[in-house]
Amino acid sequence: MHLTKTLLKKIDNKEIISYNVRFDNGFEVEILNLGGIITKIITPDKNGNLENVVVGYKDIESYIQNPSYFGAIIGRTSGRICEGQISIDGVDYELAKNYNPHQGHGGDKGFNSKIWDLKVVEAENNITLKLYAKSLDMEENYPGNLDLCVSFKIYEDYKIEQTYEAVSDKKTLINMTNHSYFNLSGDIKRPIIDEYLKVDCDYILELDKTCVPTGKKISVENTPFDFKKEMKIGDRINNNHKQIQIGCGYDHIFVLNNSQNQIKLNDRISGRNMIIDTDQNCVVIYSMNFPDDVELYNGKKTQRRYGICFETQAAPIGRDMCFIEDSLLNKGEKYTQKTTYTFSIN
């Protein structure tokens, strides 16, 4: 097990450092203290070739801007908040409308842009990167001083446990996630439309034409959203289903069943598998419908469908503040969220 720290840049006397964890079997994970951004997850394919299975930029400057939130911690809230308007115990709060006309992914400066403090904890067969930060009262107009800890426990046997913890001194909102774009082809060789997906889900949340939840559920049966059996992602991504048209592909909230191995991604060409387990009740699946045209680590520009996100979280806040109760955190209570990624070969 090897840990390498590399200073990449200084911003306002704060150091941006990459933390690279590598095991003797070739499994490698690299995370920045900037936004907790995952820049590398190196796994073998069926022929033993070691390649990166997340999408990432070539230059650190692109991660500082990070228009697509590549690999980052998202907070205080992930997803959209309808028209940036919320009310907590009768007090109204107006949030940034950075996803016009809504708020998205925590506002103008969310957790993805924070430079986090980082502590390393080593054990026999794993290493944990613990990231700490504070979100101050009325930061991005959210109430409450929030103490944050996000842990990445990286195991030798190709597993990453990501745990989120937070405590606030006022009642507030919190709904955190990770925004990695996965592509199991390795080093972004092919779009994700040829990869296979399985999701243990019976319903998605209906979106209105502005991509916020209406409060209604839609059965996935006989729709392009039915992944209860393993299906090729590209087979129905351009379907004329109204919800597909609204999202320009998949950009939807899948309501997860309470089971093991809730999400499975499989690339039959490389032989790579990824299984995601989470204690959250939803996952937003986003099929990179609007690429940002920034240069990637493989020298190519970002292209449509070159990655897929699995944003495990509570339901975003939609029309008439539907689902807001799923994001409320009371004063002094502890918010926790855990999501595990396990990689293997067919």
Side-chain angles (χ1 to χ4, degrees):
M1 185 166 56
H2 310 273
L3 172 66
T4 305
K5 295 173 18 178
T6 305
L7 174 62
L8 302 179
K9 188 180 178 68
K10 285 188 176 181
I11 299 178
D12 298 330
N13 292 320
K14 291 185 177 181
E15 296 179 337
I16 298 178
I17 300 172
S18 71
Y19 291 77
N20 183 282
V21 176
R22 182 171 56 84
F23 296 93
D24 291 340
N25 60 8
F27 184 42
E28 183 179 341
V29 179
E30 188 170 272
I31 294 173
L32 308 182
N33 65 338
L34 170 65
I37 293 169
I38 299 172
T39 60
K40 291 181 184 178
I41 300 177
I42 306 291
T43 71
D45 68 4
K46 62 185 179 183
N47 299 314
N49 298 308
L50 293 167
E51 296 169 313
N52 198 353
V53 296
V54 292
V55 182
Y57 294 121
K58 181 178 181 179
D59 299 319
I60 183 60
E61 299 295 335
S62 300
Y63 282 114
I64 292 169
Q65 299 300 321
N66 206 356
S68 293
Y69 300 90
F70 278 180
I73 296 168
I74 302 298
R76 286 189 191 191
T77 55
S78 48
R80 295 170 177 83
I81 293 181
C82 183
E83 297 180 355
Q85 295 179 343
I86 57 169
S87 181
I88 300 176
D89 290 344
V91 179
D92 295 331
Y93 298 90
E94 188 79 23
L95 306 177
K97 297 182 181 180
N98 56 313
Y99 270 44
N100 187 40
H102 310 301
Q103 198 222 251
H105 288 340
D108 291 327
K109 291 187 177 180
F111 295 173
N112 58 291
S113 62
K114 282 184 178 296
I115 297 177
W116 297 62
D117 295 325
L118 196 147
K119 178 183 178 183
V120 178
V121 180
E122 296 192 46
E124 185 176 350
N125 69 340
N126 65 76
I127 188 167
T128 303
L129 305 181
K130 298 179 77 72
L131 286 79
Y132 297 92
K134 285 186 177 289
S135 179
L136 298 179
D137 184 36
M138 300 312 293
E139 182 175 303
E140 289 295 321
N141 225 27
Y142 286 96
N145 293 295
L146 200 64
D147 291 314
L148 299 159
C149 177
V150 179
S151 300
F152 298 87
K153 192 172 187 179
I154 305 162
Y155 290 85
E156 185 176 11
D157 58 348
Y158 306 100
K159 183 169 72 172
I160 304 169
E161 288 179 356
Q162 190 171 17
T163 305
Y164 307 76
E165 299 172 307
V167 177
S168 175
D169 63 1
K170 291 182 182 177
K171 191 171 184 179
T172 190
L173 295 180
I174 187 163
N175 185 13
M176 296 173 67
T177 194
N178 176 269
H179 210 282
S180 290
Y181 292 74
F182 293 94
N183 185 321
L184 299 186
S185 69
D187 292 343
I188 329 173
K189 288 196 295 294
R190 300 181 302 276
I192 51 88
I193 55 174
D194 292 327
E195 297 181 15
Y196 287 76
L197 178 62
K198 184 178 181 182
V199 185
D200 188 14
C201 161
D202 297 319
Y203 298 93
I204 63 166
L205 299 184
E206 181 186 65
L207 302 181
D208 70 12
K209 63 182 180 181
T210 68
C211 289
V212 293
T214 64
K216 298 178 181 178
K217 290 182 178 180
I218 298 175
S219 171
V220 301
E221 191 171 353
N222 299 319
T223 76
F225 300 93
D226 189 350
F227 288 97
K228 286 180 287 185
K229 295 182 179 179
E230 195 172 274
M231 298 289 293
K232 187 185 286 189
I233 294 169
D235 280 356
R236 300 169 298 174
I237 202 166
N238 297 314
N239 191 277
N240 62 3
H241 190 284
K242 182 180 179 181
Q243 288 294 304
I244 289 284
Q245 297 298 309
I246 286 172
C248 297
Y250 295 110
D251 189 8
H252 293 79
I253 305 126
F254 289 69
V255 180
L256 294 169
N257 295 325
N258 186 17
S259 66
Q260 289 187 322
N261 303 342
Q262 293 144 307
I263 303 160
K264 179 181 178 182
L265 185 65
N266 175 22
D267 179 51
R268 296 182 181 180
I269 299 172
S270 71
R272 291 186 177 95
N273 286 311
M274 178 179 69
I275 288 175
I276 301 175
D277 290 295
T278 185
D279 59 9
Q280 298 298 281
N281 56 18
C282 293
V283 59
V284 176
I285 298 179
Y286 174 58
S287 54
M288 195 180 277
N289 307 325
F290 302 99
D292 55 34
D293 198 38
V294 179
E295 188 174 9
L296 303 172
Y297 59 73
N298 64 359
K300 299 178 182 178
K301 292 288 187 73
T302 315
Q303 298 181 49
R304 200 172 191 225
R305 316 289 195 225
Y306 263 56
I308 186 165
C309 288
F310 301 99
E311 301 161 58
T312 55
Q313 60 176 90
I317 299 167
R319 292 287 167 193
D320 302 316
M321 292 196 299
C322 63
F323 306 116
I324 190 172
E325 64 279 359
D326 295 335
S327 295
L328 287 171
L329 179 69
N330 289 318
K331 175 183 176 180
E333 286 185 352
K334 189 174 184 180
Y335 166 86
T336 61
Q337 201 259 68
K338 184 175 180 180
T339 297
T340 302
Y341 310 86
T342 306
F343 301 90
S344 62
I345 302 297
N346 282 338

